[in-house]
Amino acid sequence: GAIILKEIEDECDTNIGTGIIQLDSRRKAPLKLKEEVFSAQMRKCYIDTNTDKCKSKGKNLTIDDVVWAHDVPDAKGGKLLDGAVMCISCHNDQGQMTFDEYVKYLND
């Protein structure tokens, strides 16, 4: 648990940018919700349903190819359940933009 993480952190040389990334389960949508939304989105990335610029357009996505994306990023006060399912590539490209901002960015 925490003792092992502390020992690993102590061994990491933070001067070269190594460290521990800890997943925050409070920001992760339940798998059932992710599956339900993915099905409602016709097994497509949210961006694919709103623009023709999806990074995974035309691919048969599986639940493992998508992530729960927050409309308003957590860092800007977004809520966990305020989101949709996005392919990993689009989600990584979205950065700190809201869904509307990202779609506008792609369409410009």
Side-chain angles (χ1 to χ4, degrees):
I3 294 172
I4 293 171
L5 282 177
K6 178 67 177 139
E7 289 175 8
I8 294 171
E9 287 175 337
D10 290 345
E11 291 296 317
C12 291
D13 181 0
T14 56
N15 293 326
I16 60 170
T18 59
I20 302 297
I21 296 174
Q22 188 172 3
L23 296 177
D24 185 350
S25 61
R26 294 170 297 161
R27 295 180 57 213
K28 185 177 179 186
L31 180 59
K32 182 176 179 179
L33 174 63
K34 181 179 164 186
E35 289 171 338
E36 288 173 359
V37 172
F38 189 44
S39 179
Q41 290 177 197
M42 311 292 254
R43 303 185 64 78
K44 292 183 176 183
C45 170
Y46 174 85
I47 298 304
D48 195 15
T49 63
N50 289 282
T51 180
D52 63 353
K53 308 274 172 90
C54 175
K55 311 289 185 222
S56 298
K57 188 150 192 81
K59 294 182 182 175
N60 289 328
L61 298 176
T62 68
I63 197 72
D64 294 328
D65 299 320
V66 297
V67 296
W68 184 257
H70 297 92
D71 182 13
V72 177
D74 187 61
K76 293 183 177 179
K79 306 292 183 218
L80 172 65
L81 300 181
D82 184 17
V85 175
M86 264 190 215
C87 71
I88 294 168
S89 296
C90 283
H91 184 254
N92 289 341
D93 194 43
Q94 176 192 7
Q96 294 294 311
M97 291 179 266
T98 65
F99 292 163
D100 288 342
E101 290 168 342
Y102 184 50
V103 169
K104 183 178 182 324
Y105 163 80
L106 291 172
N107 287 328
D108 283 347

